[in-house]
Amino acid sequence: MALAFRLQKSPMPGFGLGMGITLAMLSLIVILPVGALLARGISYGPEAVWATINTPRVWAALYLSFRLAFLAALVNLVFGTLLAWVLARYDFPGRRLVDALVDLPFALPTAVAGIALTALYAPNGVFGSIVRDLGGKIAYTQWGILIALIFVGLPFVTRTVQPVIAEIEQEVEEASATLGAGRFHTLRRVILPLLLPAALTGFALSLARAVGEYGSVIFIAGNLPMKTEIAPLLIVIKLEEFDYDGAAAIGIAMLLISFAMLLAINLIQIWSRRRIGHV
């Protein structure tokens, strides 16, 4: 049974050239590196890959990385959306400065961010000393890792949601109010459905960035095995020991878990778009 593909015509020429460039870049940047990683795992052997992954230290590092990355993405989903709403809907002194500061984690090298966060939250730092006097500790604990992941992932949510908020006409909210809906009802039934696809995209981007984050975490984490050791650090340790097969095995585990999480988020995003009639 032959399959027929119907291409939607576009007034702009160059479909063949554009598709060729797209596939070439996608192959060089994404498909080939991922394929090389999987090929390394196949040559290593499924049993050997599983034996490398199935150790308490590796499971602890994977659980720590994905758990804190998910929590950081959730925090960024809430506060990044709120920040985007304030920047898009309100005009206040210093708004442009705040808007520029949102992009700071994009431009700041991750190692510099890690050193700065450690200086702030270390026991002798500005914020760390306050927490120390209260009997707590942030740096060199999982709390420090969480703060670093929130820092690097916040702009992804804000910059994804902000244009969508700017496009929502305030007349929609006014119409809802004139029909007797309260503010919470308008937010839940009118605004949030429109923001959900973009918010989920920002959440997925923030999660993906947090899962693979290394530079800003190693300085503030403490890097204690079974406690504050993240999976990317464990891969670097394997590479420094010239255990390339072991590093590839942990990389494959992170790849499969990340793919499953992002696939679930994309399915939810597709469902949300269909619900509001965008697809």
Side-chain angles (χ1 to χ4, degrees), residues 109-164:
T110 55
V112 176
I115 295 173
L117 291 173
T118 304
L120 289 174
Y121 292 102
N124 59 346
V126 176
F127 301 125
S129 59
I130 299 175
V131 177
R132 180 198 59 197
D133 294 338
L134 296 175
K137 187 178 181 181
I138 296 179
Y140 318 122
T141 67
Q142 295 185 16
W143 288 107
I145 300 175
L146 182 62
I147 290 175
L149 297 182
I150 292 173
F151 175 81
V152 299
L154 180 64
F156 289 93
V157 177
T158 302
R159 289 308 185 213
T160 305
V161 176
Q162 188 175 351
V164 179

Side-chain angles (χ1 to χ4, degrees), residues 14-213:
F15 171 80
L17 178 61
M19 180 60 71
I21 295 175
T22 300
L23 292 178
M25 293 299 297
L26 185 64
S27 299
L28 290 174
I29 297 175
V30 178
I31 298 177
L32 288 180
V34 172
L37 177 64
L38 295 176
R40 184 87 188 194
I42 293 173
S43 64
Y44 189 35
E47 296 82 6
V49 170
W50 176 249
T52 301
I53 298 172
N54 194 26
T55 61
R57 184 178 181 183
V58 174
W59 282 121
L62 290 172
Y63 177 67
L64 176 68
S65 293
F66 283 95
R67 175 170 57 86
L68 293 185
F70 185 79
L71 291 176
L74 282 179
V75 173
N76 286 331
L77 177 62
V78 176
F79 291 98
T81 303
L82 289 175
L83 178 58
W85 183 271
V86 171
L87 292 175
R89 285 301 180 90
Y90 300 104
D91 191 10
F92 53 91
R95 175 182 171 276
R96 293 189 177 181
L97 177 61
V98 175
D99 194 42
L101 289 176
V102 171
D103 295 327
L104 186 60
F106 286 148
L108 194 66
T110 55
V112 176
I115 295 173
L117 291 173
T118 304
L120 289 174
Y121 292 102
N124 59 346
V126 176
F127 301 125
S129 59
I130 299 175
V131 177
R132 180 198 59 197
D133 294 338
L134 296 175
K137 187 178 181 181
I138 296 179
Y140 318 122
T141 67
Q142 295 185 16
W143 288 107
I145 300 175
L146 182 62
I147 290 175
L149 297 182
I150 292 173
F151 175 81
V152 299
L154 180 64
F156 289 93
V157 177
T158 302
R159 289 308 185 213
T160 305
V161 176
Q162 188 175 351
V164 179
I165 296 176
E167 292 179 358
I168 298 177
E169 298 180 357
Q170 296 190 16
E171 287 78 4
V172 175
E173 304 169 42
E174 296 172 357
S176 177
T178 57
L179 293 175
R183 291 185 177 180
F184 179 76
H185 185 82
T186 301
L187 176 65
R188 183 171 61 90
R189 299 300 298 270
V190 178
I191 302 300
L192 289 183
L194 296 175
L195 293 182
L196 185 58
L200 286 176
T201 300
F203 174 82
L205 293 173
S206 178
L207 175 64
R209 171 65 188 274
V211 165
E213 181 59 24

Side-chain angles (χ1 to χ4, degrees), residues 214-227:
Y214 175 77
S216 64
V217 174
I218 56 172
F219 294 99
I220 199 172
N223 307 320
L224 296 177
M226 308 293 294
K227 293 183 179 180

